[in-house]
mmCIF file of all heavy atoms in Angstrom:
data_model
loop_
_atom_site.group_PDB
_atom_site.id
_atom_site.type_symbol
_atom_site.label_atom_id
_atom_site.label_comp_id
_atom_site.label_asym_id
_atom_site.label_seq_id
_atom_site.Cartn_x
_atom_site.Cartn_y
_atom_site.Cartn_z
ATOM 1 N N ALA A 899 -41.488 6.641 -31.478
ATOM 2 C CA ALA A 899 -40.658 7.163 -30.384
ATOM 3 C C ALA A 899 -41.496 7.955 -29.393
ATOM 4 O O ALA A 899 -41.308 7.853 -28.179
ATOM 5 C CB ALA A 899 -39.532 8.015 -30.946
ATOM 6 N N LEU A 900 -42.422 8.753 -29.896
ATOM 7 C CA LEU A 900 -43.274 9.544 -29.000
ATOM 8 C C LEU A 900 -44.250 8.669 -28.231
ATOM 9 O O LEU A 900 -44.597 8.960 -27.088
ATOM 10 C CB LEU A 900 -44.024 10.606 -29.793
ATOM 11 C CG LEU A 900 -43.171 11.748 -30.359
ATOM 12 C CD1 LEU A 900 -44.017 12.665 -31.222
ATOM 13 C CD2 LEU A 900 -42.510 12.520 -29.247
ATOM 14 N N ALA A 901 -44.703 7.590 -28.855
ATOM 15 C CA ALA A 901 -45.667 6.709 -28.193
ATOM 16 C C ALA A 901 -45.018 5.902 -27.078
ATOM 17 O O ALA A 901 -45.664 5.582 -26.078
ATOM 18 C CB ALA A 901 -46.303 5.773 -29.219
ATOM 19 N N THR A 902 -43.755 5.550 -27.223
ATOM 20 C CA THR A 902 -43.101 4.715 -26.223
ATOM 21 C C THR A 902 -42.336 5.510 -25.173
ATOM 22 O O THR A 902 -41.887 4.940 -24.186
ATOM 23 C CB THR A 902 -42.120 3.744 -26.901
ATOM 24 O OG1 THR A 902 -41.149 4.486 -27.626
ATOM 25 C CG2 THR A 902 -42.850 2.786 -27.823
ATOM 26 N N ALA A 903 -42.184 6.794 -25.380
ATOM 27 C CA ALA A 903 -41.426 7.612 -24.430
ATOM 28 C C ALA A 903 -42.254 7.892 -23.194
ATOM 29 O O ALA A 903 -43.455 8.124 -23.265
ATOM 30 C CB ALA A 903 -41.003 8.913 -25.085
ATOM 31 N N SER A 904 -41.607 7.864 -22.050
ATOM 32 C CA SER A 904 -42.282 8.208 -20.801
ATOM 33 C C SER A 904 -42.060 9.688 -20.520
ATOM 34 O O SER A 904 -41.209 10.339 -21.115
ATOM 35 C CB SER A 904 -41.747 7.361 -19.656
ATOM 36 O OG SER A 904 -40.392 7.636 -19.466
ATOM 37 N N ALA A 905 -42.808 10.198 -19.595
ATOM 38 C CA ALA A 905 -42.667 11.600 -19.226
ATOM 39 C C ALA A 905 -41.311 11.805 -18.560
ATOM 40 O O ALA A 905 -40.926 11.071 -17.655
ATOM 41 C CB ALA A 905 -43.779 12.016 -18.283
ATOM 42 N N ALA A 906 -40.587 12.790 -19.006
ATOM 43 C CA ALA A 906 -39.240 13.042 -18.482
ATOM 44 C C ALA A 906 -39.287 14.226 -17.521
ATOM 45 O O ALA A 906 -40.051 15.166 -17.694
ATOM 46 C CB ALA A 906 -38.283 13.341 -19.620
ATOM 47 N N ASP A 907 -38.464 14.167 -16.507
ATOM 48 C CA ASP A 907 -38.322 15.275 -15.579
ATOM 49 C C ASP A 907 -37.261 16.206 -16.154
ATOM 50 O O ASP A 907 -36.112 15.827 -16.303
ATOM 51 C CB ASP A 907 -37.899 14.754 -14.217
ATOM 52 C CG ASP A 907 -37.916 15.823 -13.165
ATOM 53 O OD1 ASP A 907 -38.552 16.871 -13.395
ATOM 54 O OD2 ASP A 907 -37.293 15.623 -12.116
ATOM 55 N N ALA A 908 -37.670 17.418 -16.510
ATOM 56 C CA ALA A 908 -36.776 18.325 -17.227
ATOM 57 C C ALA A 908 -36.060 19.303 -16.316
ATOM 58 O O ALA A 908 -35.598 20.336 -16.772
ATOM 59 C CB ALA A 908 -37.583 19.076 -18.277
ATOM 60 N N LYS A 909 -35.962 18.971 -15.046
ATOM 61 C CA LYS A 909 -35.310 19.883 -14.119
ATOM 62 C C LYS A 909 -33.834 20.025 -14.478
ATOM 63 O O LYS A 909 -33.102 19.060 -14.534
ATOM 64 C CB LYS A 909 -35.438 19.362 -12.695
ATOM 65 C CG LYS A 909 -34.971 20.341 -11.648
ATOM 66 C CD LYS A 909 -35.098 19.769 -10.272
ATOM 67 C CE LYS A 909 -36.548 19.728 -9.870
ATOM 68 N NZ LYS A 909 -36.735 19.316 -8.491
ATOM 69 N N GLY A 910 -33.400 21.216 -14.756
ATOM 70 C CA GLY A 910 -32.015 21.472 -15.104
ATOM 71 C C GLY A 910 -31.749 21.406 -16.593
ATOM 72 O O GLY A 910 -30.844 22.057 -17.095
ATOM 73 N N CYS A 911 -32.526 20.631 -17.319
ATOM 74 C CA CYS A 911 -32.268 20.428 -18.746
ATOM 75 C C CYS A 911 -32.603 21.677 -19.554
ATOM 76 O O CYS A 911 -31.837 22.065 -20.439
ATOM 77 C CB CYS A 911 -33.075 19.243 -19.260
ATOM 78 S SG CYS A 911 -32.799 18.880 -20.989
ATOM 79 N N LEU A 912 -33.714 22.312 -19.275
ATOM 80 C CA LEU A 912 -34.136 23.460 -20.079
ATOM 81 C C LEU A 912 -33.183 24.641 -19.929
ATOM 82 O O LEU A 912 -32.801 25.265 -20.920
ATOM 83 C CB LEU A 912 -35.557 23.874 -19.688
ATOM 84 C CG LEU A 912 -36.625 22.823 -19.959
ATOM 85 C CD1 LEU A 912 -37.972 23.307 -19.449
ATOM 86 C CD2 LEU A 912 -36.693 22.493 -21.423
ATOM 87 N N LYS A 913 -32.788 24.914 -18.711
ATOM 88 C CA LYS A 913 -31.859 26.015 -18.476
ATOM 89 C C LYS A 913 -30.498 25.714 -19.100
ATOM 90 O O LYS A 913 -29.893 26.568 -19.760
ATOM 91 C CB LYS A 913 -31.708 26.249 -16.979
ATOM 92 C CG LYS A 913 -30.831 27.406 -16.617
ATOM 93 C CD LYS A 913 -30.784 27.574 -15.107
ATOM 94 C CE LYS A 913 -29.879 28.694 -14.698
ATOM 95 N NZ LYS A 913 -29.779 28.809 -13.245
ATOM 96 N N GLY A 914 -30.021 24.499 -18.929
ATOM 97 C CA GLY A 914 -28.742 24.105 -19.512
ATOM 98 C C GLY A 914 -28.776 24.113 -21.027
ATOM 99 O O GLY A 914 -27.809 24.512 -21.681
ATOM 100 N N ALA A 915 -29.902 23.680 -21.605
ATOM 101 C CA ALA A 915 -30.027 23.673 -23.060
ATOM 102 C C ALA A 915 -30.024 25.088 -23.618
ATOM 103 O O ALA A 915 -29.427 25.348 -24.673
ATOM 104 C CB ALA A 915 -31.291 22.941 -23.472
ATOM 105 N N ALA A 916 -30.673 26.003 -22.932
ATOM 106 C CA ALA A 916 -30.698 27.387 -23.401
ATOM 107 C C ALA A 916 -29.298 28.000 -23.365
ATOM 108 O O ALA A 916 -28.849 28.606 -24.347
ATOM 109 C CB ALA A 916 -31.655 28.214 -22.545
ATOM 110 N N VAL A 917 -28.607 27.810 -22.274
ATOM 111 C CA VAL A 917 -27.253 28.363 -22.142
ATOM 112 C C VAL A 917 -26.301 27.682 -23.125
ATOM 113 O O VAL A 917 -25.513 28.341 -23.811
ATOM 114 C CB VAL A 917 -26.747 28.222 -20.687
ATOM 115 C CG1 VAL A 917 -25.290 28.608 -20.576
ATOM 116 C CG2 VAL A 917 -27.599 29.062 -19.764
ATOM 117 N N GLY A 918 -26.379 26.366 -23.219
ATOM 118 C CA GLY A 918 -25.508 25.627 -24.120
ATOM 119 C C GLY A 918 -25.776 25.940 -25.581
ATOM 120 O O GLY A 918 -24.855 26.000 -26.396
ATOM 121 N N GLY A 919 -27.043 26.132 -25.935
ATOM 122 C CA GLY A 919 -27.386 26.468 -27.312
ATOM 123 C C GLY A 919 -26.834 27.824 -27.730
ATOM 124 O O GLY A 919 -26.288 27.974 -28.829
ATOM 125 N N VAL A 920 -26.950 28.801 -26.861
ATOM 126 C CA VAL A 920 -26.410 30.128 -27.160
ATOM 127 C C VAL A 920 -24.889 30.076 -27.233
ATOM 128 O O VAL A 920 -24.279 30.629 -28.164
ATOM 129 C CB VAL A 920 -26.882 31.150 -26.102
ATOM 130 C CG1 VAL A 920 -26.163 32.470 -26.251
ATOM 131 C CG2 VAL A 920 -28.385 31.354 -26.209
ATOM 132 N N ALA A 921 -24.270 29.388 -26.279
ATOM 133 C CA ALA A 921 -22.809 29.296 -26.289
ATOM 134 C C ALA A 921 -22.312 28.548 -27.525
ATOM 135 O O ALA A 921 -21.337 28.962 -28.158
ATOM 136 C CB ALA A 921 -22.322 28.595 -25.026
ATOM 137 N N GLY A 922 -22.986 27.460 -27.881
ATOM 138 C CA GLY A 922 -22.589 26.702 -29.060
ATOM 139 C C GLY A 922 -22.772 27.486 -30.344
ATOM 140 O O GLY A 922 -21.961 27.391 -31.274
ATOM 141 N N HIS A 923 -23.825 28.281 -30.393
ATOM 142 C CA HIS A 923 -24.073 29.089 -31.590
ATOM 143 C C HIS A 923 -22.984 30.136 -31.780
ATOM 144 O O HIS A 923 -22.459 30.306 -32.877
ATOM 145 C CB HIS A 923 -25.434 29.764 -31.495
ATOM 146 C CG HIS A 923 -25.680 30.755 -32.587
ATOM 147 N ND1 HIS A 923 -25.923 30.358 -33.879
ATOM 148 C CD2 HIS A 923 -25.708 32.106 -32.583
ATOM 149 C CE1 HIS A 923 -26.096 31.453 -34.633
ATOM 150 N NE2 HIS A 923 -25.971 32.518 -33.856
ATOM 151 N N TYR A 924 -22.652 30.826 -30.711
ATOM 152 C CA TYR A 924 -21.658 31.886 -30.827
ATOM 153 C C TYR A 924 -20.230 31.347 -30.932
ATOM 154 O O TYR A 924 -19.369 31.974 -31.523
ATOM 155 C CB TYR A 924 -21.761 32.868 -29.665
ATOM 156 C CG TYR A 924 -22.923 33.811 -29.830
ATOM 157 C CD1 TYR A 924 -24.017 33.753 -28.982
ATOM 158 C CD2 TYR A 924 -22.942 34.743 -30.852
ATOM 159 C CE1 TYR A 924 -25.095 34.605 -29.146
ATOM 160 C CE2 TYR A 924 -24.010 35.601 -31.030
ATOM 161 C CZ TYR A 924 -25.073 35.523 -30.175
ATOM 162 O OH TYR A 924 -26.142 36.356 -30.343
ATOM 163 N N ALA A 925 -19.978 30.196 -30.355
ATOM 164 C CA ALA A 925 -18.618 29.655 -30.376
ATOM 165 C C ALA A 925 -18.256 29.086 -31.741
ATOM 166 O O ALA A 925 -17.200 29.389 -32.289
ATOM 167 C CB ALA A 925 -18.457 28.589 -29.307
ATOM 168 N N SER A 926 -19.127 28.266 -32.307
ATOM 169 C CA SER A 926 -18.749 27.619 -33.561
ATOM 170 C C SER A 926 -19.944 27.265 -34.430
ATOM 171 O O SER A 926 -19.864 26.350 -35.233
ATOM 172 C CB SER A 926 -17.941 26.358 -33.251
ATOM 173 O OG SER A 926 -18.742 25.471 -32.494
ATOM 174 N N HIS A 927 -21.063 27.956 -34.264
ATOM 175 C CA HIS A 927 -22.278 27.723 -35.051
ATOM 176 C C HIS A 927 -22.780 26.287 -34.897
ATOM 177 O O HIS A 927 -23.244 25.681 -35.846
ATOM 178 C CB HIS A 927 -22.055 28.067 -36.527
ATOM 179 C CG HIS A 927 -21.707 29.503 -36.738
ATOM 180 N ND1 HIS A 927 -22.609 30.515 -36.534
ATOM 181 C CD2 HIS A 927 -20.551 30.097 -37.109
ATOM 182 C CE1 HIS A 927 -22.034 31.675 -36.785
ATOM 183 N NE2 HIS A 927 -20.766 31.443 -37.133
ATOM 184 N N HIS A 928 -22.663 25.732 -33.718
ATOM 185 C CA HIS A 928 -23.185 24.416 -33.396
ATOM 186 C C HIS A 928 -24.164 24.546 -32.229
ATOM 187 O O HIS A 928 -23.940 24.013 -31.142
ATOM 188 C CB HIS A 928 -22.052 23.440 -33.032
ATOM 189 C CG HIS A 928 -21.241 23.026 -34.201
ATOM 190 N ND1 HIS A 928 -20.082 23.660 -34.537
ATOM 191 C CD2 HIS A 928 -21.442 22.054 -35.113
ATOM 192 C CE1 HIS A 928 -19.581 23.093 -35.624
ATOM 193 N NE2 HIS A 928 -20.389 22.115 -35.991
ATOM 194 N N GLY A 929 -25.235 25.273 -32.456
ATOM 195 C CA GLY A 929 -26.201 25.534 -31.400
ATOM 196 C C GLY A 929 -26.893 24.286 -30.893
ATOM 197 O O GLY A 929 -27.130 24.134 -29.699
ATOM 198 N N ILE A 930 -27.228 23.361 -31.799
ATOM 199 C CA ILE A 930 -27.935 22.153 -31.379
ATOM 200 C C ILE A 930 -27.022 21.267 -30.540
ATOM 201 O O ILE A 930 -27.435 20.736 -29.507
ATOM 202 C CB ILE A 930 -28.471 21.393 -32.605
ATOM 203 C CG1 ILE A 930 -29.541 22.244 -33.283
ATOM 204 C CG2 ILE A 930 -29.027 20.036 -32.209
ATOM 205 C CD1 ILE A 930 -30.053 21.687 -34.574
ATOM 206 N N LEU A 931 -25.789 21.125 -30.964
ATOM 207 C CA LEU A 931 -24.834 20.329 -30.192
ATOM 208 C C LEU A 931 -24.614 20.950 -28.810
ATOM 209 O O LEU A 931 -24.552 20.251 -27.796
ATOM 210 C CB LEU A 931 -23.508 20.217 -30.940
ATOM 211 C CG LEU A 931 -22.440 19.331 -30.328
ATOM 212 C CD1 LEU A 931 -22.948 17.898 -30.252
ATOM 213 C CD2 LEU A 931 -21.175 19.400 -31.142
ATOM 214 N N GLY A 932 -24.530 22.277 -28.760
ATOM 215 C CA GLY A 932 -24.385 22.958 -27.480
ATOM 216 C C GLY A 932 -25.602 22.784 -26.599
ATOM 217 O O GLY A 932 -25.483 22.633 -25.376
ATOM 218 N N ALA A 933 -26.798 22.790 -27.207
ATOM 219 C CA ALA A 933 -28.026 22.604 -26.437
ATOM 220 C C ALA A 933 -28.092 21.202 -25.842
ATOM 221 O O ALA A 933 -28.492 21.021 -24.690
ATOM 222 C CB ALA A 933 -29.235 22.867 -27.316
ATOM 223 N N VAL A 934 -27.689 20.206 -26.614
ATOM 224 C CA VAL A 934 -27.695 18.838 -26.103
ATOM 225 C C VAL A 934 -26.702 18.694 -24.958
ATOM 226 O O VAL A 934 -27.016 18.113 -23.911
ATOM 227 C CB VAL A 934 -27.381 17.835 -27.240
ATOM 228 C CG1 VAL A 934 -27.151 16.445 -26.696
ATOM 229 C CG2 VAL A 934 -28.506 17.826 -28.261
ATOM 230 N N ALA A 935 -25.508 19.212 -25.144
ATOM 231 C CA ALA A 935 -24.505 19.128 -24.085
ATOM 232 C C ALA A 935 -24.957 19.908 -22.847
ATOM 233 O O ALA A 935 -24.778 19.447 -21.713
ATOM 234 C CB ALA A 935 -23.164 19.657 -24.580
ATOM 235 N N GLY A 936 -25.546 21.074 -23.043
ATOM 236 C CA GLY A 936 -26.039 21.862 -21.920
ATOM 237 C C GLY A 936 -27.146 21.148 -21.163
ATOM 238 O O GLY A 936 -27.220 21.221 -19.934
ATOM 239 N N CYS A 937 -28.000 20.452 -21.894
ATOM 240 C CA CYS A 937 -29.077 19.695 -21.259
ATOM 241 C C CYS A 937 -28.506 18.575 -20.391
ATOM 242 O O CYS A 937 -28.936 18.373 -19.260
ATOM 243 C CB CYS A 937 -30.010 19.126 -22.321
ATOM 244 S SG CYS A 937 -31.351 18.131 -21.653
ATOM 245 N N VAL A 938 -27.534 17.864 -20.921
ATOM 246 C CA VAL A 938 -26.927 16.760 -20.168
ATOM 247 C C VAL A 938 -26.233 17.286 -18.915
ATOM 248 O O VAL A 938 -26.401 16.735 -17.814
ATOM 249 C CB VAL A 938 -25.933 15.985 -21.067
ATOM 250 C CG1 VAL A 938 -25.110 15.015 -20.251
ATOM 251 C CG2 VAL A 938 -26.682 15.267 -22.168
#
């Protein structure tokens, strides 16, 4: 997967993932799911 992946533009994803991860953690202990949704 790492060998075939191209470089991704992470504009907006990192900030959204951080906010979504914190919100998901505090809301229902689903920090990873919140981070993914925040990134999207």
